[in-house]
Amino acid sequence: MNLWDCPVITLGENGKAIERNCIIEATDGCWHINVTDKAEFGTINTGAGMFPSRWLRATTQCSEKGRWLKVNSCMTEKVMQLSSSTLWSYFGIYTTESHIELDVSFAHLPSYLPCDPAPVQCASTLSVRPINNSTTVLALLHPDIHQMIERALKLNPISAVVLEGSSFWVSIDGMSSIPLIIDHCPVERFVDTQSCEICILPVTSIAKLPPLRAQSGTGTSEEIKNCMVKLAQQDGVHIFGLSGPIRISKAIVQDACAAIGISTLPFPIEDPTKIVSLPFHVIWVLTLNRTSRHAYSLLRKVSLYESKSPCAVMVLYDGVFDDSFMKVITRTWKVPIEDLACAVDADGTVCFDTVMANSALSLSNIESISPAAAMKKVRKQMSCSESSRIPQVLWENVAGLDFAKKTLIETFQTCLFENHRIPSQLGRRCGILFFGPPGTGKTLLAKAVATEFNLSFLSIKGPELLDVYVGESEAHIRDVFARAKACRPCVLFFDELDSIAVARGKDGDAGGITDRLVSQLVTEIDALTWDENGSGVFLIGATNRPDLLDPSLLRPGRFDKRLYLGIPQTSMEQAAILRASSTSYLLGVDVDFDALAKTLPKTLSPADLASICHTSMKVALGKVVKRARETKSSLLADQTVSVGFDDLIEAAILVRPSISATQLDSIYKGAQLGASEVIN
Ligand SMILES: Nc1ncnc2c1ncn2[C@@H]1O[C@H](COP(=O)(O)OP(=O)(O)OP(=O)(O)O)[C@@H](O)[C@H]1O
């Protein structure tokens, strides 16, 4: 039976139709898509948790971005808001001004297929149809991954393949939940699907997968390998790996018919044939530079679902914000990319008049915004991964630390706006080290800097870079700096710096890994410092053990400015942190943080104080639940719990200081050793 031989459902505004595997209701402008028990098409990972997709409610909602669907899981009561392209991935739902089209992308699994297609009637506001008769699309894409890929404009060509060819699309993310996805999305079953002619298996962030070593026979890599091998045994199956640097293990793809790796990292891989023995194409989808703009004729051929935004253009322009480009972008950020594309001539200049001549938008639709605002919008959209997004921590979320904030503002203002005045021969200093006890806001402050200066934030935890294999750790460091340069201007934040930058020549360093790491780190930092064009990468390091750091890192030009973030010494400071940590809670009228702070010991770190607020919420919630049990009343899901002063007092008793006085002393003293500039 043709899997796609399913009926087209069209519904009236208030109609109700029962399809073979889903019930779709439309009432009061709300669409309820309730997938019945036949449709066990695995689960959808919403990012908010896994829930069976059989019970979903979707309601249309208008926003400035156009029509959105709000999909609500009745199981978890968690709501996720999906863009139209993500919806397409999940449900094959396209939204337009006047109607929603729902492609039954989950209907291809044989077990769900009813024997008897029963077309359903009604007027045309919602239609359910397959993309075409032979297309089999299974879209199981994590919304975050989707957004990430979508932003980086990498998936569009692949989407196009899915749309245009007979294809079968499964996505696996190397970064997270692979076993989860494999467990819940029955990859094995896809293999049996007879209608699968081409298989596209974008394996995102493959670099994050544990590499398959000769000895290892299990693990996620192995699972993926098995899936790929099985898929590859199908006639005409092609496997596309979408990844960071191609570190796909040879074993993973050796049986595949073809593997195409797409990388965004700007350093060339060595001989690909050493990695796979197959015909191997490497397509570099880097941000295009001026000379390679012709490539975007290619982009124009593909369907850019949600990418009709300046972000696409910015990607094409390699982040080069010249005057002409800024002029266009500030005036035309609403213009679809195709129209902007027409306006770029062979030598890469953008002509605003051509944009207007080719654009369907009238001048009245052109919104002028300031360059700064345009940059902000565009850069926000450009951030290509969760780890390099501009964070959302404002100065006011960081209580106290006024002196540190002031120093940071001055330093960053100089680095960002005055750096060009400093002769390049003097080097551009860009490193700051935060040190202090655990939980004193080092990460928070670094994020606030990135937010306030509109910089992407790339956070690296020292131990993540360590690898037991010779040369791998250094490669990770090169990788990190390359990523940072790719998303500059950015803050490159090294958390737990002491784990990778301990003083060289120490005993116990097996194989001299840390020595080599420090040397590599120093080399990369120096390359930034002496970058003639100004690197646009701002380094912030954080450590609890500054005394362990290699002195070479603290030299001028590297992490030469040091900020001590200590624990709050006065009740006023403590109260400010309590206030900042409880902004998301509903507080009782009796709450008095100043009075509470006066009762607290002065050895509590900001994290301890934040913990008092979190614990007080638990205490308050516990009381509400207890009351509900006693009165045998039910607890309403939307019942808000307010935190009272008593709850805070109770929580304060429960929370103990996490740092001892001697620890505090040793951290501070340690930092004085060899320090050229310590600000506290
Ligand atoms: N100045 C502050 N204002 C408000 N909240 C703070 C402040 N400092 C810390 N916090 C709270 O403490 C938590 C932990 O802070 P953060 O992760 O920045 O500490 P850290 O110094 O990086 O810790 P570690 O050294 O263990 O990595 C934050 O999530 C926040 O809730």
Side-chain angles (χ1 to χ4, degrees):
M1 176 177 185
N2 187 341
L3 298 180
W4 282 95
D5 190 17
C6 58
V8 171
I9 297 182
T10 353
L11 294 174
E13 197 56 56
N14 287 310
K16 178 178 174 184
I18 299 177
E19 209 261 335
R20 295 160 307 166
N21 56 3
C22 62
I23 302 167
I24 301 166
E25 291 173 44
T27 44
D28 308 329
C30 293
W31 301 108
H32 298 278
I33 302 175
N34 296 338
V35 184
T36 59
D37 56 0
K38 274 190 175 177
E40 293 166 356
F41 60 97
T43 52
I44 292 172
N45 189 349
T46 64
M50 304 287 290
F51 62 85
S53 47
R54 69 177 73 166
W55 189 245
L56 295 167
R57 226 185 301 143
T59 53
T60 53
Q61 187 175 299
C62 285
S63 77
E64 55 174 12
K65 287 185 182 143
R67 199 152 193 192
W68 285 57
L69 287 194
K70 216 174 179 186
V71 178
N72 186 4
S73 153
C74 302
M75 301 281 288
T76 61
E77 294 301 329
K78 278 182 179 140
V79 173
M80 55 180 180
Q81 207 178 39
L82 303 172
S83 71
S84 55
S85 63
T86 314
L87 277 166
W88 177 78
S89 309
Y90 273 0
F91 310 107
I93 296 174
Y94 296 89
T95 57
T96 66
E97 280 295 303
S98 56
H99 70 285
I100 302 163
E101 290 178 0
L102 174 65
D103 288 310
V104 194
S105 52
F106 42 76
H108 69 284
L109 291 176
S111 55
Y112 312 150
L113 279 179
C115 335
D116 179 23
V120 203
Q121 66 297 331
C122 297
S124 59
T125 37
L126 188 134
S127 63
V128 179
R129 60 172 182 78
I131 290 170
N132 66 42
N133 280 343
S134 57
T135 305
T136 309
V137 177
L138 178 77
L140 277 168
L141 208 55
H142 191 295
D144 290 346
I145 301 166
H146 189 97
Q147 280 173 11
M148 186 168 97
I149 298 165
E150 190 182 71
R151 283 202 180 95
L153 266 187
K154 282 181 292 181
L155 204 60
N156 288 310
I158 290 186
S159 311
V161 176
V162 172
L163 272 183
E164 285 164 17
S166 299
S167 17
F168 189 67
W169 180 20
V170 184
S171 173
I172 295 179
D173 173 32
M175 208 136 72
S176 64
S177 43
I178 291 155
L180 217 66
I181 290 176
I182 289 184
D183 284 351
H184 293 278
C185 123
V187 177
E188 305 284 333
R189 287 159 70 183
F190 307 158
V191 180
D192 301 331
T193 309
Q194 294 300 311
S195 61
C196 167
E197 287 174 16
I198 300 175
C199 176
I200 299 166
L201 181 53
V203 183
T204 54
S205 312
I206 233 164
K208 304 280 177 202
L209 283 175
L212 198 73
R213 306 283 175 196
Q215 294 84 1
S216 90
T218 54
T220 51
S221 296
E222 185 69 17
E223 283 182 64
I224 286 187
K225 178 204 152 188
N226 289 338
C227 290
M228 291 178 97
V229 167
K230 279 189 186 156
L231 288 168
Q233 284 159 359
Q234 303 279 308
D235 278 349
V237 167
H238 297 264
I239 294 180
F240 293 68
L242 179 70
S243 82
I246 309 299
R247 294 204 315 149
I248 221 172
S249 154
K250 185 174 176 179
I252 286 185
V253 285
Q254 65 191 358
D255 298 321
C257 297
I260 297 185
I262 304 176
S263 172
T264 50
L265 286 191
F267 59 87
I269 56 168
E270 319 95 54
D271 182 7
T273 53
K274 284 187 188 151
I275 307 169
V276 281
S277 52
L278 301 157
F280 201 95
H281 311 273
V282 178
I283 303 171
W284 291 98
V285 189
L286 293 174
T287 54
L288 302 182
N289 58 26
R290 281 166 182 270
T291 51
S292 52
R293 281 180 190 161
H294 66 272
Y296 90 79
S297 58
L298 191 150
L299 276 173
R300 288 178 58 196
K301 284 190 194 136
V302 302
S303 175
L304 299 169
Y305 301 107
E306 283 277 283
S307 307
K308 295 181 176 182
S309 69
C311 83
V313 185
M314 293 303 254
V315 171
L316 293 174
Y317 279 81
D318 199 17
V320 180
F321 311 126
D322 60 15
D323 282 353
S324 75
F325 182 66
M326 280 316 294
K327 195 171 147 196
V328 172
I329 210 79
T330 52
R331 296 178 69 188
T332 61
W333 64 279
K334 278 189 173 172
V335 176
I337 181 170
E338 281 85 351
D339 298 338
L340 283 181
C342 303
V344 182
D345 51 28
D347 71 348
T349 10
V350 191
C351 169
F352 182 75
D353 294 337
T354 327
V355 173
M356 291 322 301
N358 286 297
S359 176
L361 287 177
S362 69
L363 267 175
S364 57
N365 283 341
I366 300 294
E367 190 173 331
S368 266
I369 52 174
S370 71
M375 285 280 283
K376 201 166 182 171
K377 276 175 193 295
V378 167
R379 292 209 42 252
K380 203 168 169 190
Q381 292 175 65
M382 263 186 79
S383 298
C384 53
S385 73
E386 184 59 56
S387 57
S388 66
R389 284 205 191 133
I390 300 170
Q392 300 292 320
V393 181
L394 302 170
W395 286 136
E396 63 246 35
N397 300 128
V398 186
L401 302 177
D402 292 337
F403 192 74
K405 286 183 200 166
K406 188 167 163 269
T407 312
L408 286 169
I409 291 172
E410 281 165 10
T411 311
F412 273 80
Q413 266 171 354
T414 315
C415 287
L416 277 168
F417 309 117
E418 309 296 335
N419 235 356
H420 61 280
R421 296 184 206 281
I422 303 169
S424 58
Q425 302 88 317
L426 296 181
R428 271 135 196 188
R429 300 161 66 158
C430 54
I432 298 183
L433 180 71
F434 293 164
F435 71 99
T440 47
K442 297 182 284 296
T443 313
L444 199 68
L445 195 58
K447 284 186 177 170
V449 170
T451 312
E452 294 292 346
F453 287 97
N454 197 24
L455 305 167
S456 299
F457 185 74
L458 205 73
S459 174
I460 307 294
K461 285 200 186 295
E464 283 173 9
L465 300 172
L466 297 174
D467 198 308
V468 285
Y469 294 95
V470 176
E472 290 285 299
S473 306
E474 294 93 310
H476 291 327
I477 290 192
R478 283 196 297 274
D479 204 15
V480 162
F481 277 85
R483 267 162 60 199
K485 282 180 200 157
C487 63
R488 59 191 168 185
C490 70
V491 166
L492 177 53
F493 178 64
F494 282 100
D495 205 357
E496 298 168 47
L497 189 63
D498 49 277
S499 59
I500 49 163
V502 286
R504 283 176 281 194
K506 283 259 166 87
D507 293 341
D509 174 12
I513 290 183
T514 47
D515 286 10
R516 293 199 308 272
L517 270 181
V518 174
S519 309
Q520 186 66 48
L521 198 58
V522 166
T523 312
E524 294 292 340
I525 296 174
D526 286 352
L528 292 181
T529 312
W530 300 105
D531 189 331
E532 288 205 351
N533 302 317
S535 70
V537 178
F538 303 98
L539 286 178
I540 299 184
T543 178
N544 304 324
R545 297 294 309 272
D547 52 317
L548 293 185
L549 292 182
D550 191 88
S552 66
L553 279 173
L554 308 177
R555 250 193 42 191
R558 295 170 192 161
F559 291 102
D560 52 4
K561 194 164 267 190
R562 264 148 283 167
L563 279 173
Y564 176 71
L565 307 188
I567 59 170
Q569 298 296 319
T570 64
S571 304
M572 229 166 67
E573 288 170 345
Q574 287 184 324
I577 293 171
L578 288 169
R579 234 172 257 121
S581 309
S582 55
T583 45
S584 55
Y585 302 145
L586 186 68
L587 298 173
V589 281
D590 58 337
V591 170
D592 181 348
F593 286 118
D594 295 311
L596 175 67
K598 282 184 189 140
T599 66
L600 298 174
K602 299 293 167 278
T603 43
L604 290 170
S605 71
D608 296 335
L609 293 165
S611 166
I612 292 182
C613 296
H614 305 326
T615 314
S616 68
M617 178 42 116
K618 282 189 206 152
V619 171
L621 191 62
K623 285 181 187 167
V624 172
V625 173
K626 198 172 159 210
R627 252 197 314 275
R629 276 210 196 111
E630 280 165 7
T631 57
K632 297 209 167 69
S633 59
S634 59
L635 200 60
L636 298 175
D638 58 351
Q639 192 170 330
T640 43
V641 178
S642 87
V643 176
F645 192 55
D646 289 350
D647 305 323
L648 282 160
I649 298 275
E650 269 183 56
I653 296 166
L654 294 173
V655 175
R656 302 249 162 265
S658 55
I659 323 157
S660 70
T662 34
Q663 262 178 315
L664 277 178
D665 204 35
S666 69
I667 290 169
Y668 185 65
K669 280 197 184 129
Q672 309 292 325
L673 301 171
S676 59
E677 191 179 355
V678 177
I679 303 158
N680 52 45

